[in-house]
Amino acid sequence: MSYSFDTKAELCRLAPESNCCSVAECYGMLLFGNTFNMREIRIITGNKILGERIVALFINAFNTSFDIMPDEEQEGKQAYIINENGKISRIFETYGFSKENLLAHHVNLGILEEECCRISFVRGAFLTGGAVTDPAKSYHLEIVTAHYNVSRQTYSLLLEMEFTPKETSRTGNYIIYFKHSTAIEEFLTLIGAPIHAMKLMSTKIEKDMRNTVNRKVNCDTANVSKTVDAAAAQIEAITKLKSTGALSKLPDKLRKAAMLRLDNPELSIKELADIATPPVTKSCMNHRIRRMIDLAAKISV
C-alpha cells in the first residue's frame, strides 16, 4: 500500500470522538468529498478501512445510515451514497443550511468553535480530499475540494491553527498544500497520525545523512583528483629537470624534495612534508616544488 493509504489507515484507527467532533469530521469529509448537494451525498474511496470509519461517523453524528453501500467483496473504488430526501435535509440542517436556499458551499465556523472540532474537521477533509506523497520521493501534502469558498475558508482556518499552507487550483478544483517536511510532520501529528509523522521524520534524517555522505565522498574524490593532477604536473617538471641534467645542479634541499616526489607520486604536499628528513612545513615543501616547476618551465627542450 502507499504511504498516503497507510497514513489514512492510521487516522481511521482513532476511536470516534464526541458527537460534536464526529459532526465536524463528517463536515470535512462532505465538503472535501465527491458529492454533497441537495439531491445526493456520495463519498467514494478505495480504502475499505476509511469506508468503515465513514459509516461509523455518520451513525454517531447524524444517527443516519447510507442508502447504498458497496458490496463487501467489491475491490477498487467504493461508493457510499445517501439519496433519501429526509436524510439529506437532516444533514444540511445539522450544519445550519437549508436545501432550498444554499447557493454555494462554505464553512460554517459555528460548527468549529472548539479546537478539537477544528482538528476533526481538518482530519475529515484530509481523509476524503487529501493525499500525501511518500517522503522517500518528495515532500507534498494536499487537500482538494471543488468548492472555492470552502478552500479559502479552510486555508484561513489553517492559518489560525498556526500553519502556513499554500494555495493553487487544478482542473476546476481548489488545492491547499504543504511542501515542507516539518509542516507535514506537524499536520499529521495534529490530526492523529503521529506514527507516519515519525516515519516521515526518520526518512528525512536518512536522506539528509545520505546527502551528507555523498557530499563528503564527492569532496574527497575531487580532492584526490586535484592531488593526482598536481602530482602529475610536478613529476613531469622534475623529470624534465632530470633529463636535461638541471636536477643535479640544484641545491641539496631541492633535490631531496624532487626525489621524495618521484618516489611518492600518490602523496599530497602535506604528506610529503611530513615524511621529509628532517620534516618540513607544508608551505616549505610547496615552495620547493614550485621552484622546480618554475625552473623546468624555463628550459627549452
Side-chain angles (χ1 to χ4, degrees):
M1 295 300 179
S2 69
Y3 178 82
S4 189
F5 183 99
D6 292 341
T7 299
K8 291 184 179 183
E10 181 184 355
L11 291 172
C12 289
R13 286 192 286 271
L14 293 172
E17 301 178 24
S18 61
N19 178 262
C20 68
C21 288
S22 293
V23 168
E25 187 168 334
C26 287
Y27 199 20
M29 288 180 170
L30 290 167
L31 291 176
F32 286 82
N34 299 91
T35 305
F36 181 33
N37 59 40
M38 302 173 186
R39 297 177 300 279
E40 182 182 74
I41 290 172
R42 178 189 297 260
I43 301 175
I44 299 174
T45 178
N47 187 332
K48 289 186 177 182
I49 302 173
L50 174 54
E52 293 172 0
R53 183 171 185 83
I54 291 169
V55 172
L57 283 173
F58 269 66
I59 292 173
N60 197 35
F62 315 114
N63 194 26
T64 295
S65 59
F66 284 86
D67 297 318
I68 301 176
M69 295 274 290
D71 190 312
E72 290 185 2
E73 303 301 320
Q74 179 182 336
E75 298 296 332
K77 296 291 186 180
Q78 302 171 325
Y80 297 79
I81 301 170
I82 295 175
N83 52 23
E84 198 274 309
N85 208 25
K87 292 181 181 179
I88 296 175
S89 294
R90 189 160 64 251
I91 291 171
F92 269 80
E93 289 167 3
T94 299
Y95 296 119
F97 304 126
S98 167
K99 285 179 57 179
E100 287 70 31
N101 60 21
L102 180 65
L103 298 177
H105 280 301
H106 65 272
V107 179
N108 181 356
L109 295 177
I111 303 295
L112 309 177
E113 291 182 348
E114 301 297 329
E115 182 68 16
C116 59
C117 292
R118 293 184 176 200
I119 294 170
S120 295
F121 172 80
V122 175
R123 182 191 305 121
F126 176 75
L127 283 170
T128 57
V132 57
T133 59
D134 185 340
K137 299 176 181 176
S138 64
Y139 304 123
H140 183 86
L141 182 149
E142 66 179 31
I143 308 174
V144 183
T145 179
H147 311 295
Y148 174 76
N149 290 332
V150 170
S151 181
R152 292 294 298 141
Q153 291 161 347
T154 303
Y155 175 84
S156 298
L157 183 66
L158 287 168
L159 291 179
E160 292 178 13
M161 298 169 75
E162 301 185 351
F163 289 99
T164 54
K166 296 184 181 298
E167 294 179 290
T168 189
S169 60
R170 184 196 307 139
T171 61
N173 289 317
Y174 304 95
I175 302 162
I176 301 167
Y177 67 95
F178 298 96
K179 296 292 287 186
H180 294 292
S181 60
T182 301
I184 297 172
E185 290 165 14
E186 292 174 353
F187 181 84
L188 293 179
T189 299
L190 179 73
I191 65 174
I195 293 174
H196 282 77
M198 287 296 295
K199 286 183 178 179
L200 189 154
M201 192 181 305
S202 176
T203 301
K204 178 185 175 183
I205 291 171
E206 289 176 8
K207 287 169 69 174
D208 288 345
M209 289 179 64
R210 282 199 300 270
N211 289 338
T212 299
V213 170
N214 287 339
R215 283 194 297 270
K216 181 69 166 59
V217 169
N218 290 338
C219 181
D220 289 347
T221 300
N223 288 338
V224 169
S225 296
K226 286 166 63 178
T227 299
V228 169
D229 291 343
Q234 295 158 14
I235 290 171
E236 183 180 358
I238 293 169
T239 301
K240 185 177 182 181
L241 291 173
K242 188 175 181 180
S243 65
T244 59
L247 184 62
S248 62
K249 299 175 184 178
L250 294 181
D252 185 55
K253 291 179 179 179
L254 292 186
R255 290 200 307 274
K256 287 183 176 179
M259 296 312 297
L260 270 179
R261 169 45 80 204
L262 292 176
D263 292 341
N264 302 280
E266 77 286 357
L267 299 185
S268 66
I269 293 292
K270 175 67 170 62
E271 291 167 330
L272 288 177
D274 290 341
I275 66 172
T277 306
V280 297
T281 64
K282 175 183 176 181
S283 177
C284 178
M285 180 60 70
N286 186 57
H287 175 71
R288 293 175 182 177
I289 297 291
R290 287 301 312 168
R291 279 190 62 189
M292 287 184 283
I293 291 175
D294 292 342
L295 289 170
K298 296 176 182 178
I299 297 176
S300 298
V301 178

